[in-house]
Amino acid sequence: MKDSVLILSGGVDSTTLLYDYRDRIALALSFHYGSKHNGRELPFAAWHCQQLHIEHRVVKLGFMPSLLNSSLLEGGGDIPEGQYADDNMHSTVVPFRNGIMLSIAAGVAESMGLQYVMMANHSGDHAIYPDCRPEFVSAMSAATAAGTYNGVRLLAPYTDMTKADIARRGRQLGIDYSRTWSCYKGQQNHCGRCATCVERRQAFAAAGIADATVYDD
């Protein structure tokens, strides 16, 4: 039964969720919010939706780079390199990004008569990104349920999984991860040095996936 809207970036995690819950997803929503890598990831989001015959829409949030501070956004400074750590990756936090996107998705779900909004946060996000943590998921789900006539709720089935766990699930589903994007820098190839590239490599290795990603380093 199609009962959900999925927030789809075109990265490993949300693409896996797209395939994992394809029978429940009525609409995949992507957001062009002025990140440095939007132009690289959104075409992959569209491609996977085409393969699965799932409707895909892009919502433009052009105000975000002018109002929110983050190195992830255009004009926001350099993307840090190295492993995920609070002191290293804090600059990539886009304040309340998931809250903004989930609020829009909840309104869309209510308008379509759907019961759920899905997001693909995972346990590796918890230390750095407040709007990926279990307590945020619970609070946001309560807010959307209270604020919609049909009680729209948030589903985040990967919250307690690692990225390697997600990659293993993707391997079972036969996902072509060469058609996903992770690198925050948004250049021609993955840089291979930023934390998202490092995490991508490690997850694929742990899952036994041959990594076809082209890295500059």
Side-chain angles (χ1 to χ4, degrees), residues 42-113:
L42 293 182
F44 288 130
W47 186 87
H48 286 288
C49 287
Q50 290 170 0
Q51 305 311 299
L52 298 177
H53 305 290
I54 293 173
E55 184 182 359
H56 178 239
R57 302 284 291 273
V58 177
V59 179
K60 294 184 178 180
L61 301 176
F63 68 90
M64 291 179 68
S66 65
L67 292 177
L68 305 180
N69 295 324
S70 173
S71 64
L72 198 69
L73 301 175
E74 293 289 351
D78 294 335
I79 298 293
E81 297 180 352
Q83 297 280 349
Y84 264 105
D86 185 53
D87 58 346
N88 186 43
M89 293 299 291
H90 181 76
S91 75
T92 66
V93 173
V94 179
F96 208 59
R97 175 184 63 175
N98 285 342
I100 294 167
M101 294 178 181
L102 289 166
S103 296
I104 294 169
V108 172
E110 182 178 15
S111 296
M112 296 178 66

Side-chain angles (χ1 to χ4, degrees), residues 196-210:
T196 50
C197 284
V198 173
E199 185 187 46
R200 179 186 179 98
R201 283 174 149 167
Q202 292 174 340
F204 288 170
I209 296 172

Side-chain angles (χ1 to χ4, degrees), residues 129-151:
Y129 304 110
D131 56 0
C132 289
R133 296 170 185 164
E135 55 267 35
F136 169 80
V137 173
S138 297
M140 195 70 189
S141 184
T144 58
T148 52
Y149 273 108
N150 61 334

Side-chain angles (χ1 to χ4, degrees), residues 15-49:
T15 299
T16 305
L17 193 59
L18 177 74
Y19 281 79
D20 209 356
Y21 286 79
R22 70 184 82 178
D23 293 336
R24 294 183 58 174
I25 297 168
L27 173 68
L29 275 185
S30 296
F31 292 87
H32 197 302
Y33 59 98
S35 79
K36 293 171 181 173
H37 61 301
N38 269 160
R40 301 295 292 153
E41 63 183 358
L42 293 182
F44 288 130
W47 186 87
H48 286 288
C49 287

